[in-house]
Amino acid sequence: MTAAFRFFDLSNAAGVPLTTESLVHTAPPGPPTPAERVLRLRRPGRWIGTVIVLVLLSQAAHGLLTNPFYQWDRFAYWFVRPAILEGLLITLQVAAYSAVLGLAGGILLALGRLSANPVLRSVSWTYIWLLRSVPLIVVLLFLYNLSALYPTLSIGVPFGPAFFTFDESRLATDIVVAVVGLSLCEAAYAAEVVRAGLLSVDQGQHEAAAALGLPKRYQFARIVFPQALRSIVPAYVNQLVGLVKATSLVFYVSLLDLFGTVQSLGSTYSGDVVPLLMVATFWYVVLTSVLSVVQFYVERYYARGALRTLPPTPLQRARTGLRDLRDRFRKETAR
């Protein structure tokens, strides 16, 4: 069997051999012709949707600014009145105390649900199930009228002598009732958030900590819980946003927070109901926006060990956008 070989004559029509450099096609110098330029993909649907959204936003803004029923002059009058600011301060106090106590109670309940002790596990599950089932307003009203059921509270031996006795009517002030009621409900929701975060930690981390012979308390505080915070923080900050809005219900237990102050002033100045409601709306938007900013930076802090590149901050995004716009302008003017 013979092998057939084919030979190619690497020479041009004049018989001059072609070199390697002559075989490589090089584009002529100079800017590309219009036929060689890459055209961007046209997206008419995106432009149509953008126009529709802008039209709707402009109509909404026009209605807010031109409708005399909103009474923006009265809005400016009530916006920083001392009564409004005092109610805002009470809202911040109730939300802050309830957030701290609710998170602490949620951690304990989550540990109880994950405990090997059947009593702790059952009690924690029952508490979470019950407080998540009962509306917050019912809990607040029940605590507000608790003095009718238990005029005095005592600590001692069950069915035996009491060591300490407290007058419930003196202890249960309006702000105490509001904080306790919000904390009890918040702990039930925070427990599920914390439990989900603890379960998100890889099982190998628990095994590695146990293999090192570390105590359970040290394993939780230094190894497991810091890793779980990356999953806990976003969900719990979302709970805090709901908690800030839920403080508006403490008006029903005679506590004049921001919403309670607006309701009280609205009943006195019936012509300013809408401006007062707009004032409350604006302040709630400010509070929830601040929480969203805090959430972003806390998430960014705890993502340092999980992401190769941290998400850019709003200031970094603005700088990048301006730099890209400047580079694009230079390219367009250079053509």
Side-chain angles (χ1 to χ4, degrees):
M1 182 180 296
T2 60
F5 296 91
R6 178 176 295 181
F7 295 90
F8 296 91
D9 184 13
L10 298 179
S11 59
N12 56 11
V16 180
L18 298 176
T19 61
T20 306
E21 289 78 4
S22 62
L23 293 176
V24 179
H25 175 73
T26 57
T33 62
E36 295 176 345
R37 292 178 182 175
V38 178
L39 298 179
R40 293 185 179 181
L41 181 62
R42 294 182 175 87
R43 298 181 174 89
R46 177 184 298 179
W47 289 103
I48 294 174
T50 302
V51 171
I52 293 175
V53 171
L54 291 177
V55 169
L56 294 177
L57 289 177
S58 61
Q59 288 182 343
H62 179 267
L64 284 174
L65 295 177
T66 59
N67 193 338
F69 194 68
Y70 288 108
Q71 306 178 56
W72 292 109
D73 55 336
R74 300 300 297 170
F75 172 87
Y77 172 79
W78 289 111
F79 184 66
V80 290
R81 298 296 296 176
I84 298 293
L85 296 181
E86 290 177 3
L88 179 63
L89 180 61
I90 293 177
T91 296
L92 291 174
Q93 291 177 346
V94 172
Y97 294 151
S98 303
V100 174
L101 295 177
L103 180 59
I107 294 174
L108 296 178
L109 290 170
L111 294 177
R113 282 212 59 186
L114 298 175
S115 174
N117 190 319
V119 176
L120 294 178
R121 190 167 60 249
S122 301
V123 171
S124 300
W125 182 89
T126 304
Y127 178 92
I128 295 172
W129 165 75
L130 182 61
L131 268 297
R132 289 173 65 187
S133 303
V134 179
L136 175 59
I137 184 64
V138 175
V139 176
L140 291 174
L141 292 177
F142 183 83
L143 292 175
Y144 187 69
N145 297 281
L146 189 63
S147 59
L149 297 174
Y150 303 99
T152 59
L153 299 177
S154 60
I155 299 177
V157 179
F159 307 104
F163 301 141
F164 302 98
T165 303
F166 307 96
D167 188 357
E168 198 274 339
S169 60
R170 294 183 179 180
L171 293 177
T173 59
D174 295 338
I175 191 168
V176 170
V177 170
V179 171
V180 171
L182 288 171
S183 300
L184 291 177
C185 293
E186 188 66 19
Y189 291 97
E192 292 299 287
V193 173
V194 174
R195 186 175 69 90
L198 295 176
L199 293 177
S200 67
V201 179
D202 188 79
Q203 188 63 28
Q205 299 293 319
H206 298 269
E207 296 173 354
L212 293 175
L214 300 177
K216 290 288 186 180
R217 174 175 53 84
Y218 192 86
Q219 294 179 27
F220 176 79
R222 301 299 298 272
I223 297 177
V224 177
F225 192 65
Q227 297 183 62
L229 281 176
R230 183 170 177 266
S231 300
I232 293 173
V233 167
Y236 189 67
V237 173
N238 189 48
Q239 283 293 121
L240 292 183
V241 173
L243 176 63
V244 171
K245 294 184 293 184
T247 55
S248 59
L249 295 177
V250 301
F251 168 70
Y252 294 97
V253 294
S254 302
L255 185 63
L256 291 181
D257 66 322
L258 176 60
F259 181 74
T261 302
V262 166
Q263 285 286 90
S264 178
L265 292 174
S267 61
T268 304
Y269 302 91
S270 57
D272 292 347
V273 173
V274 173
L276 287 168
L277 290 177
M278 294 298 292
V279 168
T281 301
F282 185 86
W283 277 118
Y284 281 120
V285 170
V286 170
L287 295 179
T288 54
S289 300
V290 171
L291 287 176
S292 299
V293 173
V294 173
Q295 175 185 1
F296 172 80
Y297 283 99
V298 173
E299 287 181 9
R300 193 172 185 271
Y301 176 80
Y302 283 104
R304 291 181 302 171
L307 301 177
R308 291 189 178 93
T309 304
L310 294 177
T313 63
L315 182 59
Q316 292 174 345
R317 291 180 182 177
R319 290 177 178 175
T320 303
L322 291 176
R323 184 169 59 251
D324 294 342
L325 185 62
R326 182 181 57 189
D327 295 342
R328 185 181 301 176
F329 178 76
R330 289 178 178 177
K331 290 180 181 179
E332 293 292 336
T333 55
R335 292 178 180 178

